Amino acid sequence: MKLSPGLAETIIVHAREEFPNECCGLVAGRDGVATRVLPAINTEGTPFMYVMDPREQMDLMEQIEDSGEDLLAIYHSHTRSAAYPSKTDVELAFFAEPLYVIVSLQDENTPVIRAFHLERSAAEGEQITEEPVDIS
Amino acid sequence: MSTVKIPPVLRQAAGGERTVEAKGTNVGEVLSALCEAHPAIGKQILTSDGELHKFVNVYVNDEDARLMQWTDTPVGDDDTLLILPAMAGGQ
């Protein structure tokens, strides 16, 4: 996935704004290149969990589809752990196509963004596949 | 038959269809019929025990089925269901 430095910064700023709670949102794109970041509301509002508001989720997905873009990624922050999917992230990964982008603020001065394909119904050990994020 | 709206991210599992028709007198029956016709959807929204995952939302005519009678909510031919798996996770 290609992510411009500006869009990467949008995700990081969102994560910092919501800190210590997790943030979440969507990344729209075309042909693997991110075109927009769409921040959403984490209805849980906790440092340990995110659940996107379902109505907003549907609205944003339709907005992306109507504009001819693809839903490239679903992003959320890890405020105290690495940018790697947790057991809960995998268990709740209902969407096989979009990437799951995680921004970690574990080191607050050096945010880390990584992306993964998650397959909740795959065999253990085969559920997480990292995809490179080209921030340039 | 009820109409089931398929959100963009699940369409591939539904053969690319935006809506599909499924038979049943309540939400549970309609979802069973849907998953039988499109097993790839079932793989996404059901638990290993075959139950609807608690993080999958279902709306009947835009009303949250959980606030009605959940899978026992009666549905008819004029009703439209929307399946919306949550975007959720946690560290």
PDB file of all heavy atoms in Angstrom, chain A residues 22 47-48 50 52 54-55 57 65 79-81 86 89 91 94-95 97 120, chain B residues 9 11-12 18 43-44 46 53 55 59 62 84-91:
ATOM      1  N   GLU A  22      -8.119   4.472  21.765  1.00  0.00           N
ATOM      2  CA  GLU A  22      -7.814   4.055  20.400  1.00  0.00           C
ATOM      3  C   GLU A  22      -8.636   4.886  19.425  1.00  0.00           C
ATOM      4  O   GLU A  22      -9.773   5.251  19.712  1.00  0.00           O
ATOM      5  CB  GLU A  22      -8.142   2.564  20.201  1.00  0.00           C
ATOM      6  CG  GLU A  22      -7.240   1.639  20.978  1.00  0.00           C
ATOM      7  CD  GLU A  22      -7.329   0.188  20.508  1.00  0.00           C
ATOM      8  OE1 GLU A  22      -7.934  -0.087  19.463  1.00  0.00           O
ATOM      9  OE2 GLU A  22      -6.781  -0.677  21.212  1.00  0.00           O
ATOM     10  N   PRO A  47      -8.840   2.929  25.848  1.00  0.00           N
ATOM     11  CA  PRO A  47      -7.496   2.642  25.355  1.00  0.00           C
ATOM     12  C   PRO A  47      -7.327   1.200  24.885  1.00  0.00           C
ATOM     13  O   PRO A  47      -6.267   0.846  24.377  1.00  0.00           O
ATOM     14  CB  PRO A  47      -6.604   2.891  26.591  1.00  0.00           C
ATOM     15  CG  PRO A  47      -7.448   3.596  27.571  1.00  0.00           C
ATOM     16  CD  PRO A  47      -8.855   3.180  27.299  1.00  0.00           C
ATOM     17  N   PHE A  48      -8.343   0.366  25.072  1.00  0.00           N
ATOM     18  CA  PHE A  48      -8.167  -1.070  24.847  1.00  0.00           C
ATOM     19  C   PHE A  48      -8.966  -1.627  23.678  1.00  0.00           C
ATOM     20  O   PHE A  48      -8.809  -2.786  23.325  1.00  0.00           O
ATOM     21  CB  PHE A  48      -8.561  -1.835  26.113  1.00  0.00           C
ATOM     22  CG  PHE A  48      -7.949  -1.259  27.348  1.00  0.00           C
ATOM     23  CD1 PHE A  48      -8.727  -0.575  28.265  1.00  0.00           C
ATOM     24  CD2 PHE A  48      -6.587  -1.366  27.568  1.00  0.00           C
ATOM     25  CE1 PHE A  48      -8.167  -0.027  29.403  1.00  0.00           C
ATOM     26  CE2 PHE A  48      -6.009  -0.809  28.700  1.00  0.00           C
ATOM     27  CZ  PHE A  48      -6.797  -0.140  29.622  1.00  0.00           C
ATOM     28  N   TYR A  50     -11.535  -0.705  19.940  1.00  0.00           N
ATOM     29  CA  TYR A  50     -12.249   0.228  19.064  1.00  0.00           C
ATOM     30  C   TYR A  50     -13.429  -0.501  18.435  1.00  0.00           C
ATOM     31  O   TYR A  50     -13.340  -1.698  18.108  1.00  0.00           O
ATOM     32  CB  TYR A  50     -11.335   0.819  17.980  1.00  0.00           C
ATOM     33  CG  TYR A  50     -11.048  -0.101  16.814  1.00  0.00           C
ATOM     34  CD1 TYR A  50     -11.788  -0.033  15.642  1.00  0.00           C
ATOM     35  CD2 TYR A  50     -10.036  -1.054  16.888  1.00  0.00           C
ATOM     36  CE1 TYR A  50     -11.540  -0.875  14.572  1.00  0.00           C
ATOM     37  CE2 TYR A  50      -9.772  -1.889  15.823  1.00  0.00           C
ATOM     38  CZ  TYR A  50     -10.522  -1.802  14.663  1.00  0.00           C
ATOM     39  OH  TYR A  50     -10.264  -2.649  13.616  1.00  0.00           O
ATOM     40  N   MET A  52     -16.097   0.875  15.497  1.00  0.00           N
ATOM     41  CA  MET A  52     -16.556   2.006  14.707  1.00  0.00           C
ATOM     42  C   MET A  52     -18.074   2.124  14.787  1.00  0.00           C
ATOM     43  O   MET A  52     -18.772   1.103  14.793  1.00  0.00           O
ATOM     44  CB  MET A  52     -16.121   1.829  13.242  1.00  0.00           C
ATOM     45  CG  MET A  52     -16.165   3.108  12.433  1.00  0.00           C
ATOM     46  SD  MET A  52     -15.609   2.856  10.723  1.00  0.00           S
ATOM     47  CE  MET A  52     -13.904   2.398  10.953  1.00  0.00           C
ATOM     48  N   PRO A  54     -21.514   1.965  13.751  1.00  0.00           N
ATOM     49  CA  PRO A  54     -21.982   1.207  12.578  1.00  0.00           C
ATOM     50  C   PRO A  54     -22.641   2.059  11.494  1.00  0.00           C
ATOM     51  O   PRO A  54     -22.444   1.819  10.307  1.00  0.00           O
ATOM     52  CB  PRO A  54     -22.995   0.212  13.148  1.00  0.00           C
ATOM     53  CG  PRO A  54     -22.924   0.301  14.622  1.00  0.00           C
ATOM     54  CD  PRO A  54     -22.141   1.511  15.000  1.00  0.00           C
ATOM     55  N   ARG A  55     -23.410   3.067  11.917  1.00  0.00           N
ATOM     56  CA  ARG A  55     -24.073   3.916  10.899  1.00  0.00           C
ATOM     57  C   ARG A  55     -23.026   4.716  10.134  1.00  0.00           C
ATOM     58  O   ARG A  55     -23.104   4.858   8.914  1.00  0.00           O
ATOM     59  CB  ARG A  55     -25.055   4.879  11.568  1.00  0.00           C
ATOM     60  CG  ARG A  55     -26.079   4.210  12.452  1.00  0.00           C
ATOM     61  CD  ARG A  55     -27.324   3.876  11.682  1.00  0.00           C
ATOM     62  NE  ARG A  55     -28.298   3.227  12.564  1.00  0.00           N
ATOM     63  CZ  ARG A  55     -29.432   2.702  12.153  1.00  0.00           C
ATOM     64  NH1 ARG A  55     -29.752   2.743  10.884  1.00  0.00           N
ATOM     65  NH2 ARG A  55     -30.248   2.122  12.997  1.00  0.00           N
ATOM     66  N   GLN A  57     -19.941   3.864   9.786  1.00  0.00           N
ATOM     67  CA  GLN A  57     -19.209   2.873   8.994  1.00  0.00           C
ATOM     68  C   GLN A  57     -19.881   2.657   7.644  1.00  0.00           C
ATOM     69  O   GLN A  57     -19.250   2.671   6.594  1.00  0.00           O
ATOM     70  CB  GLN A  57     -19.151   1.570   9.778  1.00  0.00           C
ATOM     71  CG  GLN A  57     -18.512   0.415   9.045  1.00  0.00           C
ATOM     72  CD  GLN A  57     -18.711  -0.903   9.811  1.00  0.00           C
ATOM     73  OE1 GLN A  57     -18.767  -0.930  11.035  1.00  0.00           O
ATOM     74  NE2 GLN A  57     -18.820  -1.992   9.088  1.00  0.00           N
ATOM     75  N   GLU A  65     -17.486   3.985  -2.055  1.00  0.00           N
ATOM     76  CA  GLU A  65     -17.949   3.272  -3.246  1.00  0.00           C
ATOM     77  C   GLU A  65     -18.507   4.235  -4.286  1.00  0.00           C
ATOM     78  O   GLU A  65     -18.212   4.143  -5.478  1.00  0.00           O
ATOM     79  CB  GLU A  65     -19.016   2.239  -2.858  1.00  0.00           C
ATOM     80  CG  GLU A  65     -19.434   1.402  -4.047  1.00  0.00           C
ATOM     81  CD  GLU A  65     -20.443   0.341  -3.691  1.00  0.00           C
ATOM     82  OE1 GLU A  65     -21.423   0.674  -3.004  1.00  0.00           O
ATOM     83  OE2 GLU A  65     -20.252  -0.810  -4.106  1.00  0.00           O
ATOM     84  N   THR A  79      -2.228   2.201  21.493  1.00  0.00           N
ATOM     85  CA  THR A  79      -1.621   3.295  22.252  1.00  0.00           C
ATOM     86  C   THR A  79      -0.505   2.807  23.168  1.00  0.00           C
ATOM     87  O   THR A  79       0.344   3.597  23.567  1.00  0.00           O
ATOM     88  CB  THR A  79      -2.700   4.026  23.067  1.00  0.00           C
ATOM     89  OG1 THR A  79      -3.393   3.065  23.863  1.00  0.00           O
ATOM     90  CG2 THR A  79      -3.669   4.729  22.150  1.00  0.00           C
ATOM     91  N   ARG A  80      -0.551   1.530  23.508  1.00  0.00           N
ATOM     92  CA  ARG A  80       0.459   1.021  24.450  1.00  0.00           C
ATOM     93  C   ARG A  80       1.153  -0.231  23.963  1.00  0.00           C
ATOM     94  O   ARG A  80       1.875  -0.880  24.712  1.00  0.00           O
ATOM     95  CB  ARG A  80      -0.210   0.682  25.786  1.00  0.00           C
ATOM     96  CG  ARG A  80      -0.848   1.872  26.441  1.00  0.00           C
ATOM     97  CD  ARG A  80      -1.709   1.441  27.584  1.00  0.00           C
ATOM     98  NE  ARG A  80      -2.502   2.558  28.057  1.00  0.00           N
ATOM     99  CZ  ARG A  80      -3.042   2.638  29.253  1.00  0.00           C
ATOM    100  NH1 ARG A  80      -2.893   1.671  30.115  1.00  0.00           N
ATOM    101  NH2 ARG A  80      -3.745   3.695  29.599  1.00  0.00           N
ATOM    102  N   SER A  81       0.870  -0.633  22.750  1.00  0.00           N
ATOM    103  CA  SER A  81       1.506  -1.860  22.254  1.00  0.00           C
ATOM    104  C   SER A  81       1.988  -1.634  20.826  1.00  0.00           C
ATOM    105  O   SER A  81       1.704  -0.603  20.204  1.00  0.00           O
ATOM    106  CB  SER A  81       0.528  -3.037  22.322  1.00  0.00           C
ATOM    107  OG  SER A  81      -0.624  -2.753  21.556  1.00  0.00           O
ATOM    108  N   SER A  86      -3.551  -7.693  17.485  1.00  0.00           N
ATOM    109  CA  SER A  86      -3.786  -8.443  18.712  1.00  0.00           C
ATOM    110  C   SER A  86      -4.693  -9.633  18.385  1.00  0.00           C
ATOM    111  O   SER A  86      -5.256  -9.725  17.282  1.00  0.00           O
ATOM    112  CB  SER A  86      -4.480  -7.555  19.740  1.00  0.00           C
ATOM    113  OG  SER A  86      -5.779  -7.223  19.257  1.00  0.00           O
ATOM    114  N   ASP A  89      -7.949  -8.245  17.495  1.00  0.00           N
ATOM    115  CA  ASP A  89      -7.970  -7.693  16.133  1.00  0.00           C
ATOM    116  C   ASP A  89      -8.253  -8.792  15.110  1.00  0.00           C
ATOM    117  O   ASP A  89      -9.014  -8.599  14.158  1.00  0.00           O
ATOM    118  CB  ASP A  89      -6.620  -7.038  15.792  1.00  0.00           C
ATOM    119  CG  ASP A  89      -6.403  -5.737  16.541  1.00  0.00           C
ATOM    120  OD1 ASP A  89      -7.389  -5.097  16.928  1.00  0.00           O
ATOM    121  OD2 ASP A  89      -5.232  -5.365  16.745  1.00  0.00           O
ATOM    122  N   GLU A  91      -9.618 -11.840  15.711  1.00  0.00           N
ATOM    123  CA  GLU A  91     -10.940 -12.439  15.949  1.00  0.00           C
ATOM    124  C   GLU A  91     -12.057 -11.584  15.343  1.00  0.00           C
ATOM    125  O   GLU A  91     -13.073 -12.093  14.887  1.00  0.00           O
ATOM    126  CB  GLU A  91     -11.147 -12.627  17.463  1.00  0.00           C
ATOM    127  CG  GLU A  91     -12.552 -12.971  17.927  1.00  0.00           C
ATOM    128  CD  GLU A  91     -13.131 -14.238  17.301  1.00  0.00           C
ATOM    129  OE1 GLU A  91     -12.346 -15.104  16.890  1.00  0.00           O
ATOM    130  OE2 GLU A  91     -14.382 -14.326  17.217  1.00  0.00           O
ATOM    131  N   PHE A  94     -13.522  -9.096  10.183  1.00  0.00           N
ATOM    132  CA  PHE A  94     -14.557  -9.682   9.330  1.00  0.00           C
ATOM    133  C   PHE A  94     -14.310  -9.416   7.846  1.00  0.00           C
ATOM    134  O   PHE A  94     -14.980  -9.974   6.999  1.00  0.00           O
ATOM    135  CB  PHE A  94     -15.929  -9.106   9.709  1.00  0.00           C
ATOM    136  CG  PHE A  94     -16.368  -9.496  11.084  1.00  0.00           C
ATOM    137  CD1 PHE A  94     -16.326  -8.586  12.123  1.00  0.00           C
ATOM    138  CD2 PHE A  94     -16.812 -10.780  11.346  1.00  0.00           C
ATOM    139  CE1 PHE A  94     -16.731  -8.938  13.398  1.00  0.00           C
ATOM    140  CE2 PHE A  94     -17.220 -11.148  12.623  1.00  0.00           C
ATOM    141  CZ  PHE A  94     -17.175 -10.227  13.646  1.00  0.00           C
ATOM    142  N   PHE A  95     -13.390  -8.507   7.565  1.00  0.00           N
ATOM    143  CA  PHE A  95     -13.228  -8.067   6.182  1.00  0.00           C
ATOM    144  C   PHE A  95     -11.913  -8.589   5.614  1.00  0.00           C
ATOM    145  O   PHE A  95     -10.838  -8.205   6.046  1.00  0.00           O
ATOM    146  CB  PHE A  95     -13.286  -6.536   6.114  1.00  0.00           C
ATOM    147  CG  PHE A  95     -14.578  -6.008   6.679  1.00  0.00           C
ATOM    148  CD1 PHE A  95     -14.638  -5.530   7.979  1.00  0.00           C
ATOM    149  CD2 PHE A  95     -15.731  -6.023   5.920  1.00  0.00           C
ATOM    150  CE1 PHE A  95     -15.829  -5.059   8.513  1.00  0.00           C
ATOM    151  CE2 PHE A  95     -16.931  -5.559   6.443  1.00  0.00           C
ATOM    152  CZ  PHE A  95     -16.977  -5.080   7.737  1.00  0.00           C
ATOM    153  N   GLU A  97     -10.772  -8.374   2.442  1.00  0.00           N
ATOM    154  CA  GLU A  97     -10.100  -7.615   1.383  1.00  0.00           C
ATOM    155  C   GLU A  97      -9.295  -6.405   1.858  1.00  0.00           C
ATOM    156  O   GLU A  97      -8.119  -6.277   1.531  1.00  0.00           O
ATOM    157  CB  GLU A  97     -11.121  -7.186   0.345  1.00  0.00           C
ATOM    158  CG  GLU A  97     -11.237  -8.176  -0.788  1.00  0.00           C
ATOM    159  CD  GLU A  97     -12.138  -7.648  -1.865  1.00  0.00           C
ATOM    160  OE1 GLU A  97     -11.754  -6.685  -2.528  1.00  0.00           O
ATOM    161  OE2 GLU A  97     -13.238  -8.202  -2.015  1.00  0.00           O
ATOM    162  N   ARG A 120      -9.679 -14.131   9.708  1.00  0.00           N
ATOM    163  CA  ARG A 120     -10.073 -14.680  11.012  1.00  0.00           C
ATOM    164  C   ARG A 120     -10.386 -16.175  10.972  1.00  0.00           C
ATOM    165  O   ARG A 120     -10.228 -16.872  11.966  1.00  0.00           O
ATOM    166  CB  ARG A 120     -11.245 -13.897  11.619  1.00  0.00           C
ATOM    167  CG  ARG A 120     -12.525 -13.929  10.832  1.00  0.00           C
ATOM    168  CD  ARG A 120     -13.596 -13.052  11.465  1.00  0.00           C
ATOM    169  NE  ARG A 120     -14.116 -13.603  12.694  1.00  0.00           N
ATOM    170  CZ  ARG A 120     -15.143 -14.437  12.746  1.00  0.00           C
ATOM    171  NH1 ARG A 120     -15.750 -14.818  11.632  1.00  0.00           N
ATOM    172  NH2 ARG A 120     -15.564 -14.900  13.882  1.00  0.00           N
TER     173      ARG A 120
ATOM    174  N   VAL B   9     -17.903  -4.355   1.263  1.00  0.00           N
ATOM    175  CA  VAL B   9     -16.806  -5.260   1.617  1.00  0.00           C
ATOM    176  C   VAL B   9     -17.205  -6.731   1.669  1.00  0.00           C
ATOM    177  O   VAL B   9     -16.348  -7.596   1.755  1.00  0.00           O
ATOM    178  CB  VAL B   9     -16.172  -4.862   2.961  1.00  0.00           C
ATOM    179  CG1 VAL B   9     -15.194  -3.734   2.774  1.00  0.00           C
ATOM    180  CG2 VAL B   9     -17.224  -4.506   3.965  1.00  0.00           C
ATOM    181  N   ARG B  11     -19.398  -7.969  -0.681  1.00  0.00           N
ATOM    182  CA  ARG B  11     -20.021  -8.294  -1.974  1.00  0.00           C
ATOM    183  C   ARG B  11     -19.320  -9.418  -2.719  1.00  0.00           C
ATOM    184  O   ARG B  11     -19.974 -10.218  -3.380  1.00  0.00           O
ATOM    185  CB  ARG B  11     -20.084  -7.042  -2.849  1.00  0.00           C
ATOM    186  CG  ARG B  11     -21.179  -6.172  -2.352  1.00  0.00           C
ATOM    187  CD  ARG B  11     -21.725  -5.241  -3.362  1.00  0.00           C
ATOM    188  NE  ARG B  11     -22.512  -4.284  -2.589  1.00  0.00           N
ATOM    189  CZ  ARG B  11     -22.342  -2.995  -2.612  1.00  0.00           C
ATOM    190  NH1 ARG B  11     -21.474  -2.467  -3.425  1.00  0.00           N
ATOM    191  NH2 ARG B  11     -23.086  -2.215  -1.849  1.00  0.00           N
ATOM    192  N   GLN B  12     -18.008  -9.467  -2.601  1.00  0.00           N
ATOM    193  CA  GLN B  12     -17.292 -10.532  -3.302  1.00  0.00           C
ATOM    194  C   GLN B  12     -17.792 -11.893  -2.816  1.00  0.00           C
ATOM    195  O   GLN B  12     -17.970 -12.819  -3.599  1.00  0.00           O
ATOM    196  CB  GLN B  12     -15.791 -10.392  -3.061  1.00  0.00           C
ATOM    197  CG  GLN B  12     -14.975 -11.189  -4.052  1.00  0.00           C
ATOM    198  CD  GLN B  12     -13.485 -11.102  -3.767  1.00  0.00           C
ATOM    199  OE1 GLN B  12     -13.053 -10.508  -2.782  1.00  0.00           O
ATOM    200  NE2 GLN B  12     -12.697 -11.699  -4.632  1.00  0.00           N
ATOM    201  N   ARG B  18     -25.255  -6.521  -4.968  1.00  0.00           N
ATOM    202  CA  ARG B  18     -25.540  -5.487  -3.972  1.00  0.00           C
ATOM    203  C   ARG B  18     -26.665  -5.930  -3.038  1.00  0.00           C
ATOM    204  O   ARG B  18     -26.688  -5.573  -1.870  1.00  0.00           O
ATOM    205  CB  ARG B  18     -26.004  -4.210  -4.660  1.00  0.00           C
ATOM    206  CG  ARG B  18     -24.885  -3.336  -5.160  1.00  0.00           C
ATOM    207  CD  ARG B  18     -25.414  -2.151  -5.941  1.00  0.00           C
ATOM    208  NE  ARG B  18     -24.338  -1.240  -6.235  1.00  0.00           N
ATOM    209  CZ  ARG B  18     -24.146  -0.073  -5.636  1.00  0.00           C
ATOM    210  NH1 ARG B  18     -24.990   0.343  -4.728  1.00  0.00           N
ATOM    211  NH2 ARG B  18     -23.130   0.698  -5.946  1.00  0.00           N
ATOM    212  N   LYS B  43     -18.855 -17.838   6.282  1.00  0.00           N
ATOM    213  CA  LYS B  43     -17.490 -17.940   6.807  1.00  0.00           C
ATOM    214  C   LYS B  43     -17.074 -16.626   7.482  1.00  0.00           C
ATOM    215  O   LYS B  43     -16.328 -16.621   8.452  1.00  0.00           O
ATOM    216  CB  LYS B  43     -16.554 -18.231   5.622  1.00  0.00           C
ATOM    217  CG  LYS B  43     -15.326 -19.019   5.965  1.00  0.00           C
ATOM    218  CD  LYS B  43     -14.617 -19.368   4.670  1.00  0.00           C
ATOM    219  CE  LYS B  43     -13.133 -19.482   4.897  1.00  0.00           C
ATOM    220  NZ  LYS B  43     -12.392 -19.679   3.661  1.00  0.00           N
ATOM    221  N   GLN B  44     -17.603 -15.530   6.957  1.00  0.00           N
ATOM    222  CA  GLN B  44     -17.224 -14.217   7.492  1.00  0.00           C
ATOM    223  C   GLN B  44     -18.015 -13.839   8.745  1.00  0.00           C
ATOM    224  O   GLN B  44     -17.490 -13.176   9.620  1.00  0.00           O
ATOM    225  CB  GLN B  44     -17.456 -13.119   6.445  1.00  0.00           C
ATOM    226  CG  GLN B  44     -16.617 -13.240   5.200  1.00  0.00           C
ATOM    227  CD  GLN B  44     -15.182 -12.816   5.448  1.00  0.00           C
ATOM    228  OE1 GLN B  44     -14.371 -13.624   5.874  1.00  0.00           O
ATOM    229  NE2 GLN B  44     -14.866 -11.573   5.202  1.00  0.00           N
ATOM    230  N   LEU B  46     -20.255 -15.933  10.745  1.00  0.00           N
ATOM    231  CA  LEU B  46     -20.653 -16.923  11.751  1.00  0.00           C
ATOM    232  C   LEU B  46     -19.464 -17.337  12.608  1.00  0.00           C
ATOM    233  O   LEU B  46     -18.316 -17.304  12.148  1.00  0.00           O
ATOM    234  CB  LEU B  46     -21.254 -18.161  11.083  1.00  0.00           C
ATOM    235  CG  LEU B  46     -22.474 -17.946  10.189  1.00  0.00           C
ATOM    236  CD1 LEU B  46     -22.921 -19.276   9.567  1.00  0.00           C
ATOM    237  CD2 LEU B  46     -23.638 -17.324  10.971  1.00  0.00           C
ATOM    238  N   HIS B  53     -22.025 -14.079  14.777  1.00  0.00           N
ATOM    239  CA  HIS B  53     -21.037 -13.449  15.660  1.00  0.00           C
ATOM    240  C   HIS B  53     -21.640 -12.231  16.338  1.00  0.00           C
ATOM    241  O   HIS B  53     -22.387 -11.470  15.711  1.00  0.00           O
ATOM    242  CB  HIS B  53     -19.813 -13.052  14.837  1.00  0.00           C
ATOM    243  CG  HIS B  53     -18.611 -12.806  15.676  1.00  0.00           C
ATOM    244  ND1 HIS B  53     -18.503 -11.716  16.498  1.00  0.00           N
ATOM    245  CD2 HIS B  53     -17.475 -13.521  15.839  1.00  0.00           C
ATOM    246  CE1 HIS B  53     -17.339 -11.762  17.118  1.00  0.00           C
ATOM    247  NE2 HIS B  53     -16.696 -12.856  16.747  1.00  0.00           N
ATOM    248  N   PHE B  55     -20.421  -9.529  17.046  1.00  0.00           N
ATOM    249  CA  PHE B  55     -19.998  -8.239  16.493  1.00  0.00           C
ATOM    250  C   PHE B  55     -20.532  -8.011  15.076  1.00  0.00           C
ATOM    251  O   PHE B  55     -20.049  -7.150  14.373  1.00  0.00           O
ATOM    252  CB  PHE B  55     -18.476  -8.108  16.521  1.00  0.00           C
ATOM    253  CG  PHE B  55     -17.961  -7.602  17.845  1.00  0.00           C
ATOM    254  CD1 PHE B  55     -17.734  -8.479  18.899  1.00  0.00           C
ATOM    255  CD2 PHE B  55     -17.741  -6.255  18.056  1.00  0.00           C
ATOM    256  CE1 PHE B  55     -17.268  -8.029  20.124  1.00  0.00           C
ATOM    257  CE2 PHE B  55     -17.283  -5.788  19.280  1.00  0.00           C
ATOM    258  CZ  PHE B  55     -17.049  -6.679  20.322  1.00  0.00           C
ATOM    259  N   TYR B  59     -29.662  -5.017  10.581  1.00  0.00           N
ATOM    260  CA  TYR B  59     -30.724  -4.007  10.612  1.00  0.00           C
ATOM    261  C   TYR B  59     -31.896  -4.499   9.774  1.00  0.00           C
ATOM    262  O   TYR B  59     -31.701  -5.068   8.700  1.00  0.00           O
ATOM    263  CB  TYR B  59     -30.210  -2.672  10.049  1.00  0.00           C
ATOM    264  CG  TYR B  59     -29.107  -2.080  10.908  1.00  0.00           C
ATOM    265  CD1 TYR B  59     -27.767  -2.381  10.667  1.00  0.00           C
ATOM    266  CD2 TYR B  59     -29.414  -1.251  11.980  1.00  0.00           C
ATOM    267  CE1 TYR B  59     -26.759  -1.862  11.474  1.00  0.00           C
ATOM    268  CE2 TYR B  59     -28.414  -0.733  12.783  1.00  0.00           C
ATOM    269  CZ  TYR B  59     -27.092  -1.041  12.521  1.00  0.00           C
ATOM    270  OH  TYR B  59     -26.103  -0.528  13.324  1.00  0.00           O
ATOM    271  N   ASP B  62     -33.659  -0.579   8.492  1.00  0.00           N
ATOM    272  CA  ASP B  62     -32.863   0.450   9.189  1.00  0.00           C
ATOM    273  C   ASP B  62     -32.991   0.435  10.708  1.00  0.00           C
ATOM    274  O   ASP B  62     -32.430   1.292  11.383  1.00  0.00           O
ATOM    275  CB  ASP B  62     -33.167   1.866   8.665  1.00  0.00           C
ATOM    276  CG  ASP B  62     -32.553   2.103   7.296  1.00  0.00           C
ATOM    277  OD1 ASP B  62     -31.538   1.441   6.985  1.00  0.00           O
ATOM    278  OD2 ASP B  62     -33.079   2.925   6.543  1.00  0.00           O
ATOM    279  N   LEU B  84     -24.150  -5.990   8.724  1.00  0.00           N
ATOM    280  CA  LEU B  84     -23.012  -5.082   8.834  1.00  0.00           C
ATOM    281  C   LEU B  84     -22.039  -5.567   9.909  1.00  0.00           C
ATOM    282  O   LEU B  84     -22.175  -5.225  11.088  1.00  0.00           O
ATOM    283  CB  LEU B  84     -23.518  -3.674   9.159  1.00  0.00           C
ATOM    284  CG  LEU B  84     -22.498  -2.559   9.001  1.00  0.00           C
ATOM    285  CD1 LEU B  84     -21.965  -2.492   7.587  1.00  0.00           C
ATOM    286  CD2 LEU B  84     -23.099  -1.232   9.402  1.00  0.00           C
ATOM    287  N   PRO B  85     -21.058  -6.374   9.501  1.00  0.00           N
ATOM    288  CA  PRO B  85     -20.052  -6.786  10.480  1.00  0.00           C
ATOM    289  C   PRO B  85     -19.332  -5.545  11.011  1.00  0.00           C
ATOM    290  O   PRO B  85     -19.070  -4.603  10.261  1.00  0.00           O
ATOM    291  CB  PRO B  85     -19.087  -7.654   9.665  1.00  0.00           C
ATOM    292  CG  PRO B  85     -19.837  -8.036   8.437  1.00  0.00           C
ATOM    293  CD  PRO B  85     -20.771  -6.906   8.160  1.00  0.00           C
ATOM    294  N   ALA B  86     -19.038  -5.552  12.280  1.00  0.00           N
ATOM    295  CA  ALA B  86     -18.395  -4.395  12.899  1.00  0.00           C
ATOM    296  C   ALA B  86     -16.968  -4.242  12.400  1.00  0.00           C
ATOM    297  O   ALA B  86     -16.309  -5.211  12.030  1.00  0.00           O
ATOM    298  CB  ALA B  86     -18.385  -4.567  14.409  1.00  0.00           C
ATOM    299  N   MET B  87     -16.522  -3.010  12.381  1.00  0.00           N
ATOM    300  CA  MET B  87     -15.099  -2.754  12.247  1.00  0.00           C
ATOM    301  C   MET B  87     -14.630  -2.505  13.669  1.00  0.00           C
ATOM    302  O   MET B  87     -14.955  -1.478  14.275  1.00  0.00           O
ATOM    303  CB  MET B  87     -14.851  -1.556  11.341  1.00  0.00           C
ATOM    304  CG  MET B  87     -15.169  -1.883   9.895  1.00  0.00           C
ATOM    305  SD  MET B  87     -14.896  -0.521   8.786  1.00  0.00           S
ATOM    306  CE  MET B  87     -15.264  -1.311   7.198  1.00  0.00           C
ATOM    307  N   ALA B  88     -13.933  -3.495  14.202  1.00  0.00           N
ATOM    308  CA  ALA B  88     -13.624  -3.458  15.623  1.00  0.00           C
ATOM    309  C   ALA B  88     -12.368  -4.259  15.917  1.00  0.00           C
ATOM    310  O   ALA B  88     -11.933  -5.090  15.118  1.00  0.00           O
ATOM    311  CB  ALA B  88     -14.795  -4.014  16.423  1.00  0.00           C
ATOM    312  N   GLY B  89     -11.804  -4.011  17.064  1.00  0.00           N
ATOM    313  CA  GLY B  89     -10.634  -4.759  17.502  1.00  0.00           C
ATOM    314  C   GLY B  89     -10.165  -4.198  18.831  1.00  0.00           C
ATOM    315  O   GLY B  89     -10.869  -3.402  19.449  1.00  0.00           O
ATOM    316  N   GLY B  90      -9.022  -4.639  19.263  1.00  0.00           N
ATOM    317  CA  GLY B  90      -8.532  -4.130  20.537  1.00  0.00           C
ATOM    318  C   GLY B  90      -7.160  -4.675  20.849  1.00  0.00           C
ATOM    319  O   GLY B  90      -6.778  -5.729  20.336  1.00  0.00           O
ATOM    320  N   GLN B  91      -6.432  -3.948  21.655  1.00  0.00           N
ATOM    321  CA  GLN B  91      -5.060  -4.395  21.953  1.00  0.00           C
ATOM    322  C   GLN B  91      -5.025  -5.218  23.224  1.00  0.00           C
ATOM    323  O   GLN B  91      -5.984  -5.275  23.952  1.00  0.00           O
ATOM    324  CB  GLN B  91      -4.111  -3.226  22.050  1.00  0.00           C
ATOM    325  CG  GLN B  91      -4.459  -2.158  23.056  1.00  0.00           C
ATOM    326  CD  GLN B  91      -3.491  -0.981  22.971  1.00  0.00           C
ATOM    327  OE1 GLN B  91      -2.297  -1.145  22.893  1.00  0.00           O
ATOM    328  NE2 GLN B  91      -4.040   0.213  22.964  1.00  0.00           N
TER     329      GLN B  91
END
